[in-house]
Amino acid sequence: MSKRQIAMVMDLNKCVGCHTCSVACKRLWTRREGMQAMWWNTVNTQPGQGTPRAWEQMGGGFRDGVAQPGELPTAGEFGEAWEYDFDEAFRAGRPDAVLAPKGGDPEWGPNWEEDQGAGAYPNSYYFYLPRICNHCTHPACLEACPREAIEKRDEDGIVLVNEDRCRGYRYCMEACPYKKIYFNASQGVAQKCIFCLPRLEQGVTTACARQCPGRVRFVGFLDDPAGPIHKLVNHYRVALPLHAEYGTQPNVFYVPPLSPPKLDAKGNPSGEPRIPTEYLESLFGPRVREVLATLEKERARRRAGETSELMDLLISRRWLDMFGPFDRHPRDVAPLRPSRARGEA
Ligand code: SF4
Ligand code: SF4
Ligand code: SF4
């Protein structure tokens, strides 16, 4: 256990699947050689296979405290960028040429199943699930590394790879049940989300949270009673970990999505939500029903003109309140350079 823990809450009722978070992270942290196909932040349509492909079936993590075997995801399962023959399409002078990926039709790529979802009209459904490293309290990646190249910081619980110690064995990638570690083949090291540590150190929230137009992401310390994280996770108890059964005690939490009612054969609203509660329980555990009931109750209170601190918190009219003590503007601090990630310009 670290002395303190920084955590994130993502309200899935507000994610519009725009991928701004992924791009914000990529612009800042994964632009070096060997990181071309690396997305520390991903946003996938659920239900779906996610990124890397079928990651939920790849094992890792712990069962009853015992480490479980896990698979090493391939570059193809993460989804490599397709290459295009621009010369052929635009400069060869062939009017019938089309711009298509080289090497034939691809069969997989990042966000291959975007907006596909499940169910049949008029009851089809989907929602977006953004994911970063969970900076777990019991990190399987750290425990699996024979080089002790992964550390969990005592002061804030952030999990980091020390690239100087890493020899690229990739046991961490097998062990992480969320498959949130990436291999940089050019540099021969494992790399992952650093929770924007150089920003947090200066009181600036993470890039993925600050750039999010949906105001989905709250950032702060779990033990700060005045901050949004403590309120959502411990006080109102509406934010739940993803796949807690993986045994790593993740520190990214999700407010599960409400959905409109299913329609019956005559097109009338039934009492059931369109997104099956059982499916949400398979992701966020047995407290989902209770959380959805709390959200509905508080929403009704707010609509009736009553006060609801929980709804005000989730609506986030005061945007900077979402970031606890990390509410400084990036322009007001020293240039934000990665202090741990080697070689960034
Ligand atoms: Fe390690 Fe994976 Fe947990 Fe991140 S999500 S701390 S990479 S086990
Ligand atoms: Fe990237 Fe920072 Fe978000 Fe991690 S916290 S996914 S490093 S932007
Ligand atoms: Fe867009 Fe925010 Fe959802 Fe990311 S978390 S896809 S930035 S709405």
Side-chain angles (χ1 to χ4, degrees), residues 132-142 150 152 159 172 175-181 192-193 248 250:
I132 66 173
C133 162
N134 293 290
H135 298 275
C136 305
T137 298
H138 189 189
C141 55
L142 181 153
I150 300 183
K152 183 166 178 67
V159 175
C172 54
C176 171
Y178 298 94
K179 301 305 167 199
K180 271 295 169 189
I181 299 198
K192 64 179 277 302
C193 158
T248 62

Short mmCIF file of all heavy atoms in Angstrom, two decimals, residues 132-142 150 152 159 172 175-181 192-193 248 250, ligand 1:
data_model
loop_
_atom_site.label_atom_id
_atom_site.label_comp_id
_atom_site.label_asym_id
_atom_site.label_seq_id
_atom_site.Cartn_x
_atom_site.Cartn_y
_atom_site.Cartn_z
N ILE A 132 -7.42 3.55 -19.09
CA ILE A 132 -6.00 3.85 -18.94
C ILE A 132 -5.44 2.80 -17.98
O ILE A 132 -6.19 1.94 -17.50
CB ILE A 132 -5.76 5.28 -18.40
CG1 ILE A 132 -6.28 5.41 -16.95
CG2 ILE A 132 -6.44 6.32 -19.28
CD1 ILE A 132 -5.91 6.74 -16.29
N CYS A 133 -4.15 2.84 -17.69
CA CYS A 133 -3.62 1.98 -16.63
C CYS A 133 -4.34 2.33 -15.33
O CYS A 133 -4.60 3.50 -15.06
CB CYS A 133 -2.12 2.20 -16.48
SG CYS A 133 -1.45 1.60 -14.91
N ASN A 134 -4.66 1.33 -14.54
CA ASN A 134 -5.43 1.55 -13.31
C ASN A 134 -4.58 1.91 -12.10
O ASN A 134 -5.11 2.07 -11.01
CB ASN A 134 -6.25 0.31 -12.99
CG ASN A 134 -7.32 0.05 -14.02
OD1 ASN A 134 -8.30 0.79 -14.09
ND2 ASN A 134 -7.15 -0.97 -14.85
N HIS A 135 -3.29 1.99 -12.26
CA HIS A 135 -2.38 2.32 -11.14
C HIS A 135 -2.82 1.55 -9.88
O HIS A 135 -3.06 2.13 -8.80
CB HIS A 135 -2.29 3.83 -10.96
CG HIS A 135 -1.71 4.48 -12.18
ND1 HIS A 135 -0.35 4.60 -12.38
CD2 HIS A 135 -2.30 4.94 -13.32
CE1 HIS A 135 -0.13 5.14 -13.58
NE2 HIS A 135 -1.29 5.34 -14.16
N CYS A 136 -2.88 0.23 -10.08
CA CYS A 136 -3.49 -0.67 -9.10
C CYS A 136 -2.79 -0.64 -7.75
O CYS A 136 -1.57 -0.43 -7.66
CB CYS A 136 -3.44 -2.10 -9.64
SG CYS A 136 -4.21 -2.27 -11.27
N THR A 137 -3.57 -0.90 -6.70
CA THR A 137 -3.01 -1.01 -5.36
C THR A 137 -2.16 -2.27 -5.23
O THR A 137 -1.18 -2.31 -4.49
CB THR A 137 -4.17 -1.02 -4.33
OG1 THR A 137 -4.87 0.24 -4.46
CG2 THR A 137 -3.68 -1.17 -2.91
N HIS A 138 -2.53 -3.32 -5.96
CA HIS A 138 -1.78 -4.57 -5.98
C HIS A 138 -1.41 -4.87 -7.44
O HIS A 138 -2.02 -5.73 -8.09
CB HIS A 138 -2.65 -5.69 -5.39
CG HIS A 138 -1.92 -6.97 -5.16
ND1 HIS A 138 -2.56 -8.14 -4.80
CD2 HIS A 138 -0.61 -7.29 -5.22
CE1 HIS A 138 -1.67 -9.11 -4.68
NE2 HIS A 138 -0.49 -8.62 -4.93
N PRO A 139 -0.41 -4.16 -7.97
CA PRO A 139 -0.15 -4.25 -9.42
C PRO A 139 0.48 -5.59 -9.83
O PRO A 139 1.59 -5.92 -9.40
CB PRO A 139 0.83 -3.10 -9.68
CG PRO A 139 1.07 -2.42 -8.37
CD PRO A 139 0.55 -3.29 -7.29
N ALA A 140 -0.22 -6.32 -10.67
CA ALA A 140 0.30 -7.61 -11.14
C ALA A 140 1.57 -7.39 -11.97
O ALA A 140 2.48 -8.23 -11.97
CB ALA A 140 -0.77 -8.32 -11.96
N CYS A 141 1.63 -6.27 -12.68
CA CYS A 141 2.80 -5.98 -13.52
C CYS A 141 4.05 -5.88 -12.66
O CYS A 141 5.10 -6.43 -13.00
CB CYS A 141 2.56 -4.67 -14.28
SG CYS A 141 2.16 -3.27 -13.21
N LEU A 142 3.93 -5.18 -11.56
CA LEU A 142 5.07 -4.96 -10.66
C LEU A 142 5.55 -6.30 -10.08
O LEU A 142 6.75 -6.60 -10.07
CB LEU A 142 4.65 -4.00 -9.54
CG LEU A 142 5.66 -3.59 -8.48
CD1 LEU A 142 5.28 -2.21 -7.91
CD2 LEU A 142 5.74 -4.59 -7.34
N ILE A 150 9.56 -2.05 -12.12
CA ILE A 150 8.30 -1.32 -11.97
C ILE A 150 8.16 -0.93 -10.51
O ILE A 150 8.37 -1.74 -9.61
CB ILE A 150 7.10 -2.18 -12.44
CG1 ILE A 150 7.29 -2.54 -13.93
CG2 ILE A 150 5.79 -1.46 -12.21
CD1 ILE A 150 6.16 -3.31 -14.55
N LYS A 152 5.81 1.31 -7.49
CA LYS A 152 4.58 2.00 -7.12
C LYS A 152 4.97 3.08 -6.13
O LYS A 152 5.47 2.77 -5.05
CB LYS A 152 3.58 1.02 -6.49
CG LYS A 152 2.26 1.67 -6.16
CD LYS A 152 1.17 0.67 -5.86
CE LYS A 152 -0.13 1.36 -5.49
NZ LYS A 152 -0.74 2.12 -6.60
N VAL A 159 1.99 4.04 -10.64
CA VAL A 159 2.83 2.89 -11.02
C VAL A 159 3.64 3.27 -12.26
O VAL A 159 3.07 3.68 -13.28
CB VAL A 159 1.95 1.64 -11.30
CG1 VAL A 159 2.80 0.48 -11.81
CG2 VAL A 159 1.19 1.24 -10.04
N CYS A 172 5.53 -8.36 -17.43
CA CYS A 172 4.51 -7.41 -16.95
C CYS A 172 3.30 -7.40 -17.87
O CYS A 172 2.16 -7.31 -17.42
CB CYS A 172 5.11 -6.01 -16.83
SG CYS A 172 5.88 -5.44 -18.37
N ALA A 175 1.24 -10.38 -17.20
CA ALA A 175 0.61 -10.37 -15.87
C ALA A 175 -0.51 -9.36 -15.75
O ALA A 175 -1.48 -9.59 -15.01
CB ALA A 175 1.68 -10.07 -14.81
N CYS A 176 -0.42 -8.23 -16.45
CA CYS A 176 -1.46 -7.19 -16.31
C CYS A 176 -2.77 -7.71 -16.89
O CYS A 176 -2.85 -7.97 -18.10
CB CYS A 176 -1.06 -5.91 -17.04
SG CYS A 176 -2.42 -4.72 -17.10
N PRO A 177 -3.81 -7.86 -16.09
CA PRO A 177 -5.07 -8.40 -16.63
C PRO A 177 -5.81 -7.38 -17.48
O PRO A 177 -6.75 -7.74 -18.19
CB PRO A 177 -5.86 -8.75 -15.36
CG PRO A 177 -5.35 -7.81 -14.32
CD PRO A 177 -3.90 -7.57 -14.64
N TYR A 178 -5.42 -6.11 -17.41
CA TYR A 178 -6.07 -5.06 -18.21
C TYR A 178 -5.33 -4.81 -19.52
O TYR A 178 -5.76 -4.00 -20.33
CB TYR A 178 -6.16 -3.76 -17.39
CG TYR A 178 -6.99 -3.94 -16.14
CD1 TYR A 178 -6.39 -4.27 -14.92
CD2 TYR A 178 -8.37 -3.84 -16.19
CE1 TYR A 178 -7.15 -4.47 -13.79
CE2 TYR A 178 -9.14 -4.04 -15.06
CZ TYR A 178 -8.52 -4.36 -13.86
OH TYR A 178 -9.29 -4.57 -12.74
N LYS A 179 -4.18 -5.48 -19.68
CA LYS A 179 -3.35 -5.36 -20.88
C LYS A 179 -3.07 -3.89 -21.20
O LYS A 179 -3.31 -3.40 -22.31
CB LYS A 179 -4.01 -6.08 -22.07
CG LYS A 179 -4.24 -7.56 -21.80
CD LYS A 179 -3.00 -8.31 -21.39
CE LYS A 179 -3.30 -9.69 -20.82
NZ LYS A 179 -2.19 -10.25 -20.04
N LYS A 180 -2.55 -3.21 -20.19
CA LYS A 180 -2.28 -1.78 -20.33
C LYS A 180 -0.79 -1.46 -20.32
O LYS A 180 -0.39 -0.34 -20.02
CB LYS A 180 -3.02 -1.02 -19.22
CG LYS A 180 -4.43 -0.62 -19.63
CD LYS A 180 -4.37 0.37 -20.79
CE LYS A 180 -5.70 0.64 -21.46
NZ LYS A 180 -5.51 1.43 -22.70
N ILE A 181 0.03 -2.45 -20.66
CA ILE A 181 1.44 -2.19 -20.87
C ILE A 181 1.76 -2.49 -22.33
O ILE A 181 1.23 -3.43 -22.90
CB ILE A 181 2.33 -3.03 -19.92
CG1 ILE A 181 1.99 -2.65 -18.47
CG2 ILE A 181 3.81 -2.80 -20.21
CD1 ILE A 181 3.02 -3.04 -17.46
N LYS A 192 4.07 2.51 -20.45
CA LYS A 192 2.66 2.58 -20.04
C LYS A 192 2.30 3.98 -19.58
O LYS A 192 3.18 4.83 -19.39
CB LYS A 192 2.40 1.58 -18.90
CG LYS A 192 3.19 1.92 -17.64
CD LYS A 192 2.90 0.93 -16.53
CE LYS A 192 1.65 1.29 -15.77
NZ LYS A 192 1.71 2.65 -15.17
N CYS A 193 1.01 4.19 -19.34
CA CYS A 193 0.48 5.44 -18.79
C CYS A 193 1.23 5.81 -17.52
O CYS A 193 1.41 4.98 -16.63
CB CYS A 193 -1.01 5.26 -18.51
SG CYS A 193 -1.72 6.37 -17.30
N THR A 248 -6.41 -6.97 -8.69
CA THR A 248 -5.29 -6.01 -8.59
C THR A 248 -5.69 -4.72 -7.87
O THR A 248 -4.85 -3.85 -7.69
CB THR A 248 -4.76 -5.63 -10.00
OG1 THR A 248 -5.82 -5.00 -10.71
CG2 THR A 248 -4.27 -6.85 -10.76
N PRO A 250 -7.88 -2.02 -8.75
CA PRO A 250 -7.66 -0.88 -9.64
C PRO A 250 -8.08 0.44 -9.00
O PRO A 250 -8.98 0.48 -8.16
CB PRO A 250 -8.53 -1.20 -10.85
CG PRO A 250 -9.54 -2.19 -10.36
CD PRO A 250 -8.88 -2.95 -9.26
FE1 SF4 B 1 0.01 -2.69 -13.69
FE2 SF4 B 1 -1.95 -3.31 -15.35
FE3 SF4 B 1 -2.56 -2.45 -12.90
FE4 SF4 B 1 -1.54 -0.75 -14.70
S1 SF4 B 1 -3.51 -1.80 -14.84
S2 SF4 B 1 -0.86 -0.99 -12.55
S3 SF4 B 1 -0.16 -2.04 -15.87
S4 SF4 B 1 -1.50 -4.35 -13.40
#
